[in-house]
Amino acid sequence: MSPTAQRPDALHPGAGGRATARPTLEEVAALAGVGRGTVSRVINGSPRVSAKAREAVQTAIAELGYVPNRAARTLVTSRTDSIALVVPEAETRLFSEPYFSDIISGVSAELAETDMQLLLILVRNQRERDRLSAYLTAQRVDGVLVVSVHRDDPLPGLLESLEIPSVLAGRRGDLEPLSYVHADNAGGARMAVRHLLRRGCTRVATLTGPLDMEVAQARLGGYRRALEEAGHAYDEDLVGLADFTEEGGRVAMRELLARKPELDGVFCASDVMAAGAMQVLRAAGRRIPDDVAVIGFDDSIVARHTDPPMTSVRQPIEEMGRTMARLLLDEIHERGRARRQVVLATELIVRDSA
Amino acid sequence: MSPTAQRPDALHPGAGGRATARPTLEEVAALAGVGRGTVSRVINGSPRVSAKAREAVQTAIAELGYVPNRAARTLVTSRTDSIALVVPEAETRLFSEPYFSDIISGVSAELAETDMQLLLILVRNQRERDRLSAYLTAQRVDGVLVVSVHRDDPLPGLLESLEIPSVLAGRRGDLEPLSYVHADNAGGARMAVRHLLRRGCTRVATLTGPLDMEVAQARLGGYRRALEEAGHAYDEDLVGLADFTEEGGRVAMRELLARKPELDGVFCASDVMAAGAMQVLRAAGRRIPDDVAVIGFDDSIVARHTDPPMTSVRQPIEEMGRTMARLLLDEIHERGRARRQVVLATELIVRDSA
DNA sequence: CTACAGTGTGGGAGCGCTCCCACAGCTGGG
DNA sequence: CCCAGCTGTGGGAGCGCTCCCACACTGTAG
C-alpha cells in the first residue's frame, strides 16, 4: 500500500499557480490576430469565416487551452446547455432496481456527444415540487426529462404550459400531449400470458400495479387481451390489485389464493411483486412452476436470483433513456413543433418459474 | 446560424401572459424604490441593510416573482453553485444494486436545503475521461463527488492538483489526501466472520473483490483479523480472488471447493458474489447453511431474494451520500482547510444463510 | 467610369448580476 | 463648532460572451 503516485505539482500551492487565469475569447482573438467576432464565429461553426482566419483561431485556441465560459454565453443567449432529469423520489423505490441507473446511463450516453449537461433533480415532497416549479419557470434548463408519471401529476401540465421542451418516460394516458417514450407494456404482458396459456395454464391470475399509472393499466390490458384472444372469459376474481412492491405482492397473492385456490398461473406486473408472490405460494405448499407458474415484469436482478429463477418480461431501459435524450435534443433544436412518441419492444426472458 | 429561438413574447397575449419577460434585479430595485446594490444585499443576506429597505425589497421580489439569474451571478462571482457527481460507468455494474440510487438520493437530500445543483457525470471511456479533465480544469463546478476509486485512478490526482474541493466515496489507500467517506468495511467483514465462527464454522473461506480497490482490501483485512483473533491461522487456500461479480463469485467458489472441500463457511465481499457462490454450493450438493454457511456484503435486494435469504453486512449507503455532500459543502464554503474523513458503521443483517 | 450586391471582418452594445467606491446622514468626542 | 467614525445607500464598472451594425474589400453589371 505505497503512497500512490501523485503529480508533485500541486502539493505546494505556492509556485505553479498559473492555472487560475483562464484565457478569454479576447485573448484568443489577440493571439490569432483577429477580432472577437471572428473567434466567436469559429467557435460556433459559422460558415462566414475565411479558411485562414479559422485556422489561426483554432491554433490559438489549442495553444491557450481555451474553453468558452458557459455562464457568459448563457447570459447572452439564454440557452443553458443543460437538461434536467426529474425523478419523483417516492417512485424511486418502486422501480425495478437497475431501472434508475439504466435510464441515467442511457441518457448520459446520448448526451456524451453533445456538450449538454445533465442535471439530476429528485423531488421528494411538496416543498421540493414547488421549488422545482419556480426553477423551471425561471427557465434554467433547456429541456426536461421526467421519469414516472402518475395520472394526476401536476408536473407535465406545468411543462406543457411553460412550453419547455420535455420528454416523459411513460405517459399519463392515451392522449398524452407531451413527447414520451415507453416500453410496449401491453405487448409484453400479452406475450407473458400467452406463454402461460401455451404451457397449459387454464386459470391465469394477475397482480397489477397502482392503476393510476398508465404502465399498470397497460400491463393489465395486455393480460386481458391475451386471455380474450385465447377465448377465456375475463374474471375479475383473478385480478389482484397491488402496488408494484414486494409486500403488496404478498398481500394480493394471499387474497388471490383465498379467492381462487384453483389458479395455476400468475402474471405479475413487476418482478418484486412476483418475488413476494412466490414466497406466498411456496408457503402455501404450491410448487413453482408445477402447481403455479409465475412470470414477472422488468427482468431485474431479482428475477435472476429467486428460486426458481424467474421468467420475466424485459424492457430495454437503457435504450429508453437514450431515446428520451435523443427526442429531447431534437425538440430543443428544432424549435418545438411536433410532439413525438416512441414505443420500444419488450421481450420475454424465459427461466424456470414458467 | 439559423433563426435562433427568440423568446416568444407571450403565450397568450391576453390574460396571464406576463410569464415571458423575467424580471431583473433592476426592476425589483425600481419597484422597491431602492438601488440595485440594496436589492443585491437583501438577496445575499448582507446585514448592512435597514429593516425598511429589506422589507420593501422582499415585497417587490414576491410581487414580481423575481428569481436571480444564475448565469449573471456566475459570470461575476465565478461560483457556479453546482457540484458534480462523477461515476465511472465501468464500476456502475459492480455496485450492489441500490448503491447508485441510494448515493444519489443521499446527496440530493442534503443538497435540497441549499440551492446547489447536482450535475451527474458518467465516465465510460478514455475520451470521456479527457473531456472530464478539460471540464474540471475549466472550473465549471464548485466541487466534485467521486464514487468508486481504484488505486490507479488518475482522477483524484487531478482533483488534488486543481485544488477543487472534492470528496471520495472510499479511498485509494491509507494516506488518502482527499476527503472521503466510507463504510467500516473491515469492521463489517470482521463482524461477519465472527458470526460464522460463533455459529461453529471452523473452516471459513472468503471471496474477495478486486484487490486494487481499497474496499476489497479492507474486507479481506477484516476477515483475516477475525480469524486471527479467534486463534485460527490465516490460510491462503481459503481465499478466493474474485471481482465482485456473480460470475466471478461462481468461478472462485468452484476453485475454492476444489481446493478446500472441507470448508464450512464463506464470507463473500459482495452479495452478488455470494449469490453466485450459493448456486455453486447448491449444485455441489452442499446445504446452506447446514453444510456451508454464507454471508454477503451490501445487504442489497439480492440478499433478500436468494434461497435461503442471505445474511449480509449492511452499509448505510444513503447516509454516505448525505455525508459526502455535507463534507463537500463544508469544504467549498470554508475555502479549503482540513481534509476530512468519515467512517460510517456497518451492521450485520442476519437471515437464514448463516 | 460608377453602382451595387456579396463576402469577410472588427468592435460597440449589452445580457443581469456583484463588487466596490463614493457619499449621505447620523452619531459622539474633542 | 468641526471632524472623525460609523451605518446605509446608489450606481459605475466590468465579468466573458453573442449579436449585429458598419465597414472594408472583392467582383460583376450597367
Side-chain angles (χ1 to χ4, degrees):
Chain A
M1 215 162 283
S2 64
T4 323
Q6 297 312 335
R7 330 202 159 191
D9 121 25
L11 299 180
H12 304 289
R18 67 343 52 208
T20 338
R22 309 232 1 259
T24 71
L25 185 146
E26 189 107 37
E27 296 170 43
V28 174
L31 179 58
V34 301
R36 269 176 13 253
T38 301
V39 178
S40 181
R41 268 169 233 127
V42 170
I43 291 171
N44 295 291
S46 158
R48 309 216 141 316
V49 182
S50 68
K52 83 178 66 72
R54 178 184 319 274
E55 198 182 337
V57 169
Q58 276 160 348
T59 308
I61 287 178
E63 186 165 328
L64 294 175
Y66 169 75
V67 184
N69 180 315
R70 241 181 159 92
R73 175 181 290 169
T74 296
L75 187 55
V76 33
T77 61
S78 63
R79 275 183 293 119
T80 62
D81 290 323
S82 61
I83 67 170
L85 176 61
V86 176
V87 184
E89 153 90 346
E91 308 309 321
T92 238
R93 310 295 173 186
L94 293 191
F95 292 146
S96 69
E97 269 313 332
Y99 186 92
F100 192 42
S101 349
D102 281 358
I103 286 280
I104 289 177
S105 162
V107 170
S108 145
E110 196 67 31
L111 255 39
E113 301 307 307
T114 332
D115 67 340
M116 282 273 175
Q117 303 188 321
L118 178 59
L119 245 54
L120 196 63
I121 304 185
L122 298 203
V123 186
R124 73 205 79 209
N125 54 43
Q126 191 54 44
R127 243 187 77 227
E128 295 187 15
R129 207 182 308 279
D130 294 343
R131 270 189 51 148
L132 175 61
S133 299
Y135 189 87
L136 295 177
T137 310
Q139 313 260 32
R140 278 197 300 220
V141 284
D142 295 346
V144 178
L145 258 22
V146 186
V147 149
S148 167
V149 208
H150 278 261
R151 181 121 62 214
D152 56 351
D153 193 332
L155 182 58
L158 177 67
L159 292 170
E160 214 183 317
S161 69
L162 290 175
E163 298 187 359
I164 298 177
S166 30
V167 178
L168 311 180
R171 55 180 182 173
R172 285 170 290 175
D174 288 340
L175 340 104
E176 181 58 66
L178 294 178
S179 296
Y180 62 81
V181 175
H182 69 169
D184 182 9
N185 290 298
R190 181 159 156 253
M191 215 182 327
V193 175
R194 286 165 78 171
H195 182 78
L196 290 172
L197 295 172
R198 225 177 299 126
R199 266 186 116 268
C201 297
T202 58
R203 297 283 176 188
V204 178
T206 187
L207 260 41
T208 75
L211 293 183
D212 67 332
M213 296 183 72
E214 203 269 346
V215 226
Q217 288 284 0
R219 293 178 191 175
L220 177 58
Y223 159 82
R224 189 169 179 159
R225 169 118 184 257
L227 288 184
E228 284 164 355
E229 284 171 350
H232 291 65
Y234 176 72
D235 179 353
E236 281 216 354
D237 282 353
L238 283 168
V239 177
L241 298 176
D243 59 358
F244 282 144
T245 71
E246 181 170 351
E247 179 55 20
R250 271 189 225 109
V251 172
M253 190 69 234
R254 260 180 231 118
E255 292 170 4
L256 223 41
L257 225 34
R259 205 156 59 214
K260 286 280 182 180
E262 70 272 31
L263 60 84
D264 56 5
V266 191
F267 162 64
C268 305
S270 84
D271 281 352
V272 284
M273 285 201 297
M278 283 168 70
Q279 291 165 12
V280 169
L281 287 169
R282 211 162 26 220
R286 314 286 179 113
R287 286 167 309 159
I288 302 169
D290 312 84
D291 299 332
V292 181
V294 177
I295 297 188
F297 206 112
D298 288 338
D299 189 35
S300 64
I301 2 124
V302 177
R304 296 198 294 282
H305 291 284
T306 50
D307 174 46
M310 188 194 299
T311 294
S312 184
V313 179
R314 199 183 96 79
Q315 39 179 347
I317 302 178
E318 179 162 353
E319 184 56 33
M320 287 172 59
R322 293 190 105 93
T323 309
M324 289 176 70
R326 209 175 313 125
L327 296 194
L328 186 62
L329 292 178
D330 286 357
E331 210 166 282
I332 289 170
H333 292 129
E334 294 176 25
R335 300 212 30 54
R337 243 10 26 89
R339 306 299 190 169
R340 312 134 217 262
Q341 291 125 31
V342 175
V343 180
L344 296 171
T346 46
E347 180 188 2
L348 186 68
I349 306 293
V350 179
R351 298 202 180 80
D352 304 337
S353 72
Chain B
M1 289 254 110
S2 61
T4 321
Q6 298 312 338
R7 323 189 169 200
D9 252 351
L11 304 187
H12 300 291
R18 50 47 308 241
T20 336
R22 309 236 359 261
T24 71
L25 185 145
E26 189 108 36
E27 296 170 42
V28 174
L31 180 59
V34 300
R36 269 176 14 252
T38 301
V39 178
S40 181
R41 269 169 233 126
V42 171
I43 291 172
N44 295 291
S46 159
R48 309 215 142 316
V49 182
S50 68
K52 82 178 67 72
R54 178 183 319 273
E55 199 181 336
V57 169
Q58 276 160 348
T59 308
I61 287 178
E63 185 164 330
L64 295 175
Y66 170 75
V67 184
N69 180 316
R70 242 183 160 91
R73 176 181 289 169
T74 295
L75 187 54
V76 34
T77 60
S78 64
R79 276 182 293 119
T80 62
D81 289 323
S82 61
I83 66 169
L85 176 63
V86 176
V87 184
E89 152 92 345
E91 308 309 321
T92 238
R93 310 296 173 185
L94 293 190
F95 292 146
S96 68
E97 269 311 333
Y99 186 92
F100 192 42
S101 349
D102 281 358
I103 287 279
I104 288 178
S105 163
V107 169
S108 146
E110 197 66 31
L111 256 39
E113 302 306 308
T114 333
D115 68 340
M116 282 273 176
Q117 303 187 321
L118 178 60
L119 245 55
L120 195 65
I121 305 185
L122 299 203
V123 185
R124 76 205 77 210
N125 54 44
Q126 190 54 44
R127 243 187 75 227
E128 294 187 16
R129 208 183 308 279
D130 293 343
R131 270 190 50 148
L132 176 61
S133 300
Y135 189 87
L136 295 177
T137 310
Q139 314 260 32
R140 279 197 299 221
V141 284
D142 294 347
V144 178
L145 258 22
V146 185
V147 150
S148 166
V149 207
H150 279 261
R151 180 119 67 215
D152 56 352
D153 192 331
L155 181 59
L158 178 66
L159 292 170
E160 213 185 318
S161 68
L162 290 175
E163 298 185 7
I164 298 176
S166 30
V167 178
L168 311 180
R171 55 180 182 173
R172 285 168 290 175
D174 288 339
L175 338 106
E176 180 57 66
L178 295 178
S179 295
Y180 63 81
V181 175
H182 69 169
D184 182 9
N185 291 297
R190 181 159 155 252
M191 214 182 329
V193 175
R194 285 165 78 173
H195 181 78
L196 290 172
L197 294 173
R198 225 177 299 127
R199 266 184 116 270
C201 296
T202 57
R203 297 283 174 186
V204 178
T206 187
L207 260 40
T208 75
L211 293 183
D212 67 332
M213 296 184 73
E214 203 268 346
V215 227
Q217 288 284 0
R219 293 178 191 175
L220 176 58
Y223 160 82
R224 188 168 180 158
R225 170 119 183 256
L227 287 184
E228 284 165 354
E229 285 171 349
H232 291 63
Y234 175 73
D235 179 354
E236 281 216 353
D237 282 353
L238 283 168
V239 176
L241 299 176
D243 59 358
F244 282 144
T245 70
E246 182 171 351
E247 179 55 21
R250 270 189 225 108
V251 172
M253 190 68 234
R254 259 180 232 119
E255 292 170 4
L256 222 41
L257 225 34
R259 205 157 58 215
K260 285 280 183 181
E262 70 273 29
L263 61 83
D264 56 5
V266 191
F267 162 65
C268 305
S270 84
D271 281 352
V272 284
M273 284 201 299
M278 283 169 70
Q279 291 165 12
V280 169
L281 286 169
R282 211 162 25 220
R286 313 286 179 113
R287 287 167 308 160
I288 302 170
D290 311 83
D291 300 332
V292 181
V294 177
I295 297 187
F297 206 112
D298 287 338
D299 190 34
S300 62
I301 1 125
V302 177
R304 295 199 294 283
H305 291 284
T306 50
D307 173 46
M310 189 193 299
T311 294
S312 184
V313 180
R314 200 183 96 79
Q315 38 179 348
I317 302 178
E318 179 161 355
E319 183 57 33
M320 286 172 60
R322 293 192 105 91
T323 308
M324 288 176 71
R326 208 175 312 126
L327 295 194
L328 186 61
L329 292 178
D330 287 356
E331 211 165 282
I332 289 171
H333 292 128
E334 295 176 24
R335 298 254 17 83
R337 232 22 29 83
R339 304 299 192 170
R340 310 136 218 262
Q341 291 125 32
V342 174
V343 180
L344 296 171
T346 46
E347 181 188 0
L348 186 68
I349 306 294
V350 179
R351 298 203 180 79
D352 304 336
S353 72

